[in-house]
Amino acid sequence: MAYRNLAKKNARFLGPTAPRKRFIQNPIESTQHNLDTFNSEKNTGRFHVLTDANENNELKKYETDIKGRFDRIIPFLKRISSLQYQQDFVEKAKQLTLSELSLELPDHLIDKAWVRPLDMRALFAWFVFQTHNQTSKEFFNLDPLNGNKDTTKALEFESFLESCGFHLLDLTPCADGRLAHSVAYALRIPFSSVRRRSHAGALFDIERTVNRWVKTEHRRYREGLPNSANSSTRYLKVVTYHFSSVAPSSQGCAAHGSDDSVAAAAGLKRLLEFRQTVENSFCCGASVELLLIGLDTDTDSIRIHVPSSDSNMVLDKWISTLDIYEETYSFSKDIALKTINQRIEESAPGKADLGMIKFISRLIVNNISQIDYVRQLHNGPYPDAGHAERFIGVGIGFKEVHLRNLTYFSHLDTVEEGAPDLDVGIKIFKGLNVSRDLPIPIVVRFDYSGKVPGAKERAISDCKRVNEAISYRYRDLVEEGLLHTFLTIRDRDQPTPAQVVGSSLDPDSQEVH
Amino acid sequence: MAYRNLAKKNARFLGPTAPRKRFIQNPIESTQHNLDTFNSEKNTGRFHVLTDANENNELKKYETDIKGRFDRIIPFLKRISSLQYQQDFVEKAKQLTLSELSLELPDHLIDKAWVRPLDMRALFAWFVFQTHNQTSKEFFNLDPLNGNKDTTKALEFESFLESCGFHLLDLTPCADGRLAHSVAYALRIPFSSVRRRSHAGALFDIERTVNRWVKTEHRRYREGLPNSANSSTRYLKVVTYHFSSVAPSSQGCAAHGSDDSVAAAAGLKRLLEFRQTVENSFCCGASVELLLIGLDTDTDSIRIHVPSSDSNMVLDKWISTLDIYEETYSFSKDIALKTINQRIEESAPGKADLGMIKFISRLIVNNISQIDYVRQLHNGPYPDAGHAERFIGVGIGFKEVHLRNLTYFSHLDTVEEGAPDLDVGIKIFKGLNVSRDLPIPIVVRFDYSGKVPGAKERAISDCKRVNEAISYRYRDLVEEGLLHTFLTIRDRDQPTPAQVVGSSLDPDSQEVH
């Protein structure tokens, strides 16, 4: 229900809203002030004193591994295509797929190659889905980002969060794939320690967020978890809007016409409305803390609109981690940390709360690592300044997706309500895939609670209902084989992988074409 | 989301599920045991000793007044139709409408009568909507059922409820219009003291009900309302399924193939799943109380499946108010009440809880008045054994609708999820209205909280979104002018009437045709 305003602003979606991947040939020539950090004199393998180089290496390994698997799909399919008229094609294709990609290619997608050309669109979608499924399984089985709820990292972060005066961290980044790594990379927060709900334009649903707030408070009263309702901690709601330092007027937020001041203002307005809703609807001093963050999708640096202790935030006043990075680059650790705290205090429009300063300080330190991460990996800002997502994720869940430009999110219960978000995703993928004659891969996910009788069956029905609504809304694409779906559910009470419950590529669904 | 099972049971909806109004010519000849109560010897104006004759008179006045207004529409339209070729038609029609129905007929629906025949379908829908709007306004302004939250009646009932060990009464009758009066008439509960959510087959949505439970408990913890979380009271969830004693195999519940044992079993299953969900999802002895009631839509008598103190209910064991009525008809008040308590205890499959006995006893006494009400008003069972609803109510709200066969309810947030319920309603109205060349009038309602910033605008958007989804799903009917909509919102925090925010009969919408 958060998209109503977006839905009304049709004009917004008609602008230059879904630019395709855009490779910067020569970032060094850029005159943008924000890119100075990446200039050659600093790019000598040295890091900022606060950068966690080990963690950067781990994250790099994970990102290049997973994205590499998606990037192998097209070259691999070209090889398969070249083999399709050979007599032993079916066996060869299956064997190659198994040996090179560890995937079992099903007969029904290839066994008609002798009589008609392979449906490469279907095969492409199949490989995207299987690659997602493979990496998703590994995520839940192996915890490659070391962010599971029982890890030292998660436990430490949760106790840190509480020490800052917060008992829940609830983050809404934009649905844009260039923010899909906000939690695990840009902000370096253990994924299990944060509630993430991505929405186009970062415009989260107020009613649903109030429901989450009520559930959180009820648990504190009933179970004393994560802490007792008597503790004076607060629910912290964060909005992350985004902008592009490389191409500010074309590669910013689609939902806000690539205008970062509009994006920031809309995010702040939604945050304030959420707080007012809680304050007006519940007695006894009920309230929430708010935080507004902007993310530069080219450098992953952030700007934080530091709130004063009376929760005042100013749209054109922020602290920039890129500025901090530059200022403290040659400092000692201690002095760098002190400077950060000082800059946070100075940046607030009034006296800032100590817990909030502590929390923001942690985010800034974490983000400094990420600035170095991007710089080292790409020898400058990201080469893919625009969209380069691999699939659209629709539904409720996707706890395992934490890579930039991997997934465009469309968190929704129904297509009827979530259509404006989903439409943006489809538009992006028309540019990315359909323009290259490739289909739009949509993974549908509904998490459920295994403790609730019937919840699993309802999650399956939800997948099917949403799948049907998608097939109907984008029927032209579906009929052309230019949109495929992959239905998955997951028990959120277990640390186990998702379960596949259907796909437009199943033999039955394929018969329809 | 409660309809998934229904949605799968397509076959159920294809049966004799939506029989039209069926007038019983000679109820006295009926051989049904249940109808003995209505035989001539007892039908002499005498009432059961526990019957509240004054209340019956008030309720009768209200029902005949409101239904009378709807019943006047067709005769009135016939008169209007006969005048349409007269030269002063527009003035005459407007004047007649004002003087006879106190409604202001807008020009755009009649001013083309000189050039083409009146759109009687549009006029019919307009009169239904305006009559609803008129009676709805009166309801909120005048409280004709004396059930507002500050009335002595409501306050007394709420304190009675708490004395029985319950802090919230949450009732799900079937969406069928023949149960729309369950609260105010059949069970005689002040409408403000109960949460009502009607669903086809009485199959309420478990997740949403758990949300309501959490909100209720949270309020007890935070505000001590309606009582403190320390009090050992429970949330009482009631399901009311229905059956027909006159025509059991054709006039029962459409969603359950007119099989009362299936309807009862489905209701019980849903109740037990709800309880298990609460028990499994929350710690510290969290649970709810459950109650299963069957309503005979011909006599309004009820059967209650009395639970034992360990919450055991048996499907084929119940206490029937019609039996009680007969048994205690000639008793003194005291003896009648004692007998009722005794029968309740005997009917439970184990020792029953004292609070539950007290609550059920009140329901039985209340229902005895209703048995006499029906008997007196119709000289036997209801003449309209089948469906005879006047409009479909879609959305969230309708606190003011409390008359039998006035409204088919479709409580939903989205048509995407609520479609199975709505489809049943459309099927019913195809029989009732479309078969007579009259349109299906749908009133869309979204209640909102005026305390929540932006909630009103979101309620308006919800109305429009649902209206669009309806227009799309039933576009054949819409194109023929056989389905009209009327969009309304209401601030649930205020005792004020609903506000009209649009209609397919507005001049703009009409231009489309």
Side-chain angles (χ1 to χ4, degrees):
Chain A
M1 287 184 278
Y3 318 116
R4 295 181 180 84
N5 296 334
L6 277 177
K8 276 184 263 168
K9 291 182 189 164
N10 272 333
R12 289 235 172 273
F13 295 115
L14 302 175
T17 54
R20 289 181 52 198
K21 195 163 167 172
R22 180 174 171 287
F23 293 92
I24 297 158
Q25 294 308 320
N26 199 351
I28 299 170
E29 283 175 22
S30 168
T31 54
Q32 302 281 333
H33 165 78
N34 282 341
L35 300 180
D36 286 354
T37 322
F38 298 108
N39 70 21
S40 53
E41 75 168 24
K42 283 182 187 162
N43 196 8
T44 52
R46 275 184 63 212
F47 298 128
H48 189 283
V49 63
L50 294 172
T51 289
D52 185 337
N54 288 337
E55 194 179 47
N56 275 6
N57 282 334
E58 290 299 313
L59 290 171
K60 179 184 162 188
K61 219 170 94 187
Y62 182 68
E63 183 176 7
T64 46
D65 171 24
I66 305 302
K67 284 198 170 165
R69 298 195 214 177
F70 283 94
D71 291 343
R72 275 204 299 273
I73 294 175
I74 288 183
F76 187 81
L77 282 178
K78 287 181 178 169
R79 278 172 64 195
I80 294 284
S81 174
S82 72
L83 304 173
Q84 67 182 301
Y85 296 109
Q86 295 186 12
Q87 216 169 6
D88 56 349
F89 168 67
V90 172
E91 291 70 37
K92 212 166 196 169
K94 290 176 75 167
Q95 183 258 313
L96 264 178
T97 310
L98 190 63
S99 63
E100 301 206 3
L101 306 180
S102 307
L103 296 172
E104 294 202 27
L105 192 55
D107 283 8
H108 76 275
L109 290 178
I110 47 171
D111 62 6
K112 294 189 194 73
W114 65 274
V115 63
R116 64 175 181 206
L118 278 174
D119 181 351
M120 296 308 298
R121 290 173 178 174
L123 277 176
F124 173 81
W126 186 86
F127 276 97
V128 170
F129 293 147
Q130 294 305 319
T131 306
H132 160 67
N133 197 35
Q134 195 181 49
T135 58
S136 166
K137 267 188 191 158
E138 286 171 15
F139 185 89
F140 291 110
N141 288 332
L142 307 173
D143 192 17
L145 293 179
N146 190 27
N148 251 346
K149 70 180 164 63
D150 298 326
T151 55
T152 324
K153 225 168 125 188
L155 296 172
E156 186 276 331
F157 182 82
E158 277 154 40
S159 119
F160 163 76
L161 194 66
E162 198 175 325
S163 77
C164 297
F166 310 122
H167 55 259
L168 193 107
L169 174 59
D170 176 339
L171 178 76
T172 291
C174 181
D176 193 307
R178 292 170 297 171
L179 280 83
H181 66 315
S182 299
V183 169
Y185 283 72
L187 303 177
R188 307 277 169 114
I189 300 170
F191 68 86
S192 61
S193 308
V194 59
R195 174 183 189 247
R196 176 179 62 172
R197 282 285 178 279
S198 306
H199 289 292
L203 296 178
F204 63 92
D205 183 305
I206 289 181
E207 275 81 5
R208 281 177 221 256
T209 311
V210 170
N211 278 348
R212 165 56 53 192
W213 179 84
V214 170
K215 281 181 183 169
T216 306
E217 298 308 302
H218 175 241
R219 195 162 173 240
R220 295 174 74 216
Y221 279 112
R222 177 175 287 275
E223 305 184 21
L225 289 173
N227 64 9
S228 152
N230 297 327
S231 317
S232 63
T233 55
R234 290 270 172 89
Y235 184 111
L236 176 61
K237 178 75 201 175
V238 183
V239 152
T240 311
Y241 68 91
H242 63 104
F243 58 96
S244 162
S245 56
V246 166
S249 62
S250 63
Q251 298 287 9
C253 183
H256 300 298
S258 276
D259 183 331
D260 58 342
S261 64
V262 173
L268 181 59
K269 181 166 182 277
R270 190 61 54 113
L271 283 171
L272 294 174
E273 284 182 352
F274 170 55
R275 186 174 63 199
Q276 206 186 326
T277 301
V278 170
E279 290 179 354
N280 292 2
S281 306
F282 303 91
C283 82
C284 325
S287 191
V288 289
E289 289 293 329
L290 310 175
L291 187 59
L292 181 65
I293 299 178
L295 182 114
D296 173 6
T297 53
D298 298 311
T299 64
D300 273 354
S301 66
I302 55 175
R303 38 162 98 145
I304 303 178
H305 301 256
V306 181
S308 58
S309 59
D310 57 354
S311 292
N312 187 18
M313 275 178 279
V314 179
L315 280 177
D316 54 8
K317 204 166 176 186
W318 60 69
I319 182 168
S320 151
T321 53
L322 216 46
D323 291 344
I324 293 267
Y325 183 103
E326 291 187 52
E327 180 183 0
T328 60
Y329 187 77
S330 317
F331 291 6
S332 72
K333 270 193 182 184
D334 272 4
I335 305 288
L337 288 170
K338 272 184 195 149
T339 309
I340 290 173
N341 277 358
Q342 202 183 322
R343 294 289 169 269
I344 297 171
E345 286 186 60
E346 289 163 4
S347 155
K351 198 173 157 40
D353 187 78
L354 282 181
M356 185 59 95
I357 294 175
K358 192 172 159 190
F359 180 72
I360 291 175
S361 171
R362 167 78 75 109
L363 292 188
I364 290 175
V365 171
N366 289 355
N367 187 250
I368 283 174
S369 285
Q370 183 66 9
I371 291 175
D372 269 333
Y373 176 86
V374 179
R375 192 182 144 212
Q376 189 205 9
L377 197 58
H378 301 292
N379 198 26
Y382 280 112
D384 49 344
H387 288 282
E389 289 95 340
R390 272 67 171 185
F391 62 90
I392 298 180
V394 172
I396 302 293
F398 294 107
K399 205 132 189 107
E400 75 275 35
V401 176
H402 294 284
L403 290 179
R404 183 179 184 274
N405 252 339
L406 186 67
T407 312
Y408 175 89
F409 283 116
S410 183
H411 276 132
L412 54 78
D413 284 309
T414 64
V415 174
E416 186 178 322
E417 292 168 294
D421 266 29
L422 193 50
D423 286 350
V424 172
I426 294 291
K427 189 181 164 76
I428 289 168
F429 272 82
K430 279 187 177 170
L432 288 175
N433 288 16
V434 176
S435 67
R436 294 187 291 159
D437 241 331
L438 291 173
I440 303 173
I442 297 186
V443 179
V444 178
R445 165 73 54 81
F446 277 95
D447 280 5
Y448 65 94
S449 168
K451 293 183 294 195
V452 171
K456 183 178 177 176
E457 292 68 32
R458 288 192 288 274
I460 295 174
S461 303
D462 285 336
C463 277
K464 292 184 175 165
R465 172 179 49 72
V466 161
N467 183 47
E468 236 175 79
I470 288 172
S471 302
Y472 197 77
R473 187 168 183 90
Y474 310 107
R475 55 190 174 284
D476 296 347
L477 290 169
V478 171
E479 278 162 19
E480 293 282 316
L482 283 170
L483 190 157
H484 279 290
T485 51
F486 189 67
L487 315 183
T488 65
I489 59 169
R490 199 177 90 81
D491 183 351
R492 68 162 66 91
D493 301 330
Q494 302 293 331
T496 48
Q499 189 185 336
V500 182
V501 297
S503 170
S504 59
L505 296 163
D506 287 347
D508 290 355
S509 311
Q510 284 289 293
E511 289 299 310
V512 178
H513 293 297
Chain B
M1 290 182 276
Y3 318 116
R4 297 181 180 84
N5 296 333
L6 278 177
K8 277 184 262 170
K9 290 183 187 164
N10 272 332
R12 288 235 174 276
F13 295 116
L14 302 174
T17 54
R20 290 183 49 197
K21 196 164 168 171
R22 183 172 170 285
F23 293 93
I24 297 158
Q25 293 308 320
N26 199 349
I28 299 168
E29 284 176 20
S30 166
T31 54
Q32 302 279 335
H33 163 79
N34 282 340
L35 300 181
D36 286 356
T37 322
F38 298 107
N39 71 22
S40 52
E41 79 170 20
K42 284 183 185 160
N43 197 5
T44 52
R46 272 186 62 214
F47 298 128
H48 189 285
V49 63
L50 294 173
T51 289
D52 184 338
N54 289 336
E55 192 178 48
N56 276 5
N57 282 334
E58 291 299 314
L59 290 172
K60 181 182 161 187
K61 218 170 93 188
Y62 183 68
E63 184 176 6
T64 46
D65 171 24
I66 305 300
K67 284 196 169 166
R69 300 196 213 175
F70 282 94
D71 291 344
R72 274 205 298 272
I73 294 174
I74 288 182
F76 187 80
L77 282 178
K78 287 182 179 169
R79 279 172 64 199
I80 293 284
S81 174
S82 72
L83 304 173
Q84 64 183 300
Y85 297 107
Q86 294 185 12
Q87 216 169 7
D88 58 349
F89 168 66
V90 173
E91 291 69 39
K92 211 167 199 171
K94 291 176 74 166
Q95 182 258 314
L96 264 178
T97 309
L98 190 63
S99 63
E100 302 208 2
L101 305 180
S102 308
L103 295 173
E104 294 200 28
L105 193 54
D107 284 7
H108 76 275
L109 289 179
I110 47 172
D111 61 7
K112 295 188 192 71
W114 66 274
V115 62
R116 66 175 180 207
L118 277 174
D119 182 351
M120 297 308 296
R121 290 173 179 174
L123 277 175
F124 173 82
W126 186 87
F127 276 99
V128 170
F129 292 146
Q130 294 305 318
T131 307
H132 160 66
N133 196 35
Q134 195 180 51
T135 58
S136 167
K137 266 188 190 158
E138 286 171 15
F139 185 89
F140 291 111
N141 288 333
L142 307 172
D143 192 17
L145 293 179
N146 190 26
N148 252 345
K149 70 181 164 67
D150 297 327
T151 56
T152 324
K153 227 171 127 187
L155 295 172
E156 184 278 330
F157 182 82
E158 277 154 40
S159 117
F160 163 77
L161 194 65
E162 196 174 327
S163 77
C164 295
F166 310 122
H167 55 258
L168 193 107
L169 174 59
D170 176 341
L171 178 77
T172 291
C174 181
D176 192 307
R178 291 170 300 171
L179 279 85
H181 66 316
S182 298
V183 169
Y185 282 72
L187 303 176
R188 307 275 168 116
I189 299 171
F191 67 87
S192 60
S193 309
V194 60
R195 175 184 188 247
R196 175 178 64 169
R197 283 285 178 277
S198 305
H199 288 291
L203 296 177
F204 63 91
D205 183 304
I206 290 181
E207 275 80 7
R208 281 177 220 256
T209 312
V210 170
N211 277 348
R212 165 56 53 190
W213 179 84
V214 170
K215 281 182 183 168
T216 306
E217 298 308 303
H218 174 242
R219 192 161 176 239
R220 293 174 73 218
Y221 278 112
R222 176 175 287 275
E223 306 184 20
L225 291 173
N227 64 9
S228 151
N230 297 326
S231 317
S232 62
T233 55
R234 290 272 173 88
Y235 183 112
L236 176 61
K237 177 75 204 177
V238 183
V239 152
T240 310
Y241 67 92
H242 63 105
F243 58 96
S244 162
S245 56
V246 167
S249 61
S250 63
Q251 298 287 8
C253 183
H256 299 298
S258 274
D259 184 332
D260 59 341
S261 64
V262 172
L268 181 58
K269 182 166 179 279
R270 189 62 52 116
L271 284 171
L272 294 174
E273 284 182 351
F274 169 56
R275 186 173 63 199
Q276 209 185 321
T277 300
V278 170
E279 290 179 355
N280 292 2
S281 306
F282 303 92
C283 81
C284 324
S287 192
V288 290
E289 290 293 328
L290 310 175
L291 187 60
L292 181 66
I293 299 178
L295 181 113
D296 173 7
T297 53
D298 298 312
T299 65
D300 274 353
S301 68
I302 56 174
R303 37 161 100 147
I304 303 179
H305 300 257
V306 182
S308 58
S309 59
D310 57 354
S311 293
N312 187 17
M313 275 179 279
V314 179
L315 280 176
D316 55 7
K317 204 166 176 185
W318 60 69
I319 182 168
S320 152
T321 54
L322 215 49
D323 291 345
I324 293 266
Y325 183 105
E326 291 186 52
E327 181 183 359
T328 60
Y329 187 80
S330 318
F331 290 5
S332 72
K333 269 193 183 182
D334 273 4
I335 305 287
L337 287 170
K338 273 184 194 149
T339 310
I340 289 173
N341 278 357
Q342 201 182 324
R343 294 289 169 269
I344 296 171
E345 288 186 58
E346 289 163 5
S347 156
K351 196 171 160 42
D353 185 79
L354 283 180
M356 185 59 95
I357 294 175
K358 191 172 159 189
F359 180 72
I360 291 175
S361 171
R362 168 78 75 108
L363 291 188
I364 291 175
V365 171
N366 289 355
N367 187 250
I368 282 174
S369 284
Q370 182 67 7
I371 291 175
D372 268 333
Y373 176 86
V374 178
R375 191 181 146 215
Q376 190 207 8
L377 195 59
H378 301 292
N379 198 27
Y382 281 112
D384 48 345
H387 288 281
E389 290 94 340
R390 273 65 169 185
F391 63 89
I392 299 180
V394 171
I396 302 295
F398 294 109
K399 204 127 193 114
E400 75 275 34
V401 176
H402 293 284
L403 290 178
R404 184 181 184 274
N405 253 338
L406 186 68
T407 311
Y408 176 88
F409 284 116
S410 184
H411 276 133
L412 54 79
D413 283 307
T414 64
V415 173
E416 185 178 323
E417 292 168 295
D421 265 32
L422 192 51
D423 285 349
V424 172
I426 294 290
K427 191 181 162 80
I428 288 168
F429 272 80
K430 278 186 178 172
L432 289 175
N433 286 18
V434 176
S435 68
R436 294 186 292 158
D437 242 332
L438 292 173
I440 303 173
I442 298 186
V443 179
V444 177
R445 164 73 53 84
F446 277 95
D447 280 5
Y448 65 94
S449 169
K451 292 183 294 197
V452 171
K456 182 176 179 180
E457 292 69 32
R458 289 193 287 273
I460 295 174
S461 302
D462 285 336
C463 277
K464 293 186 175 163
R465 170 179 50 73
V466 161
N467 183 48
E468 233 174 80
I470 288 172
S471 301
Y472 198 77
R473 189 170 181 90
Y474 309 107
R475 55 191 174 283
D476 295 347
L477 291 168
V478 171
E479 278 162 18
E480 294 282 313
L482 284 169
L483 190 157
H484 279 290
T485 51
F486 189 68
L487 316 183
T488 65
I489 59 170
R490 200 178 90 80
D491 183 351
R492 68 161 67 91
D493 301 330
Q494 300 294 331
T496 48
Q499 189 186 335
V500 182
V501 295
S503 169
S504 59
L505 295 164
D506 287 346
D508 289 353
S509 312
Q510 284 288 291
E511 289 301 311
V512 179
H513 293 296

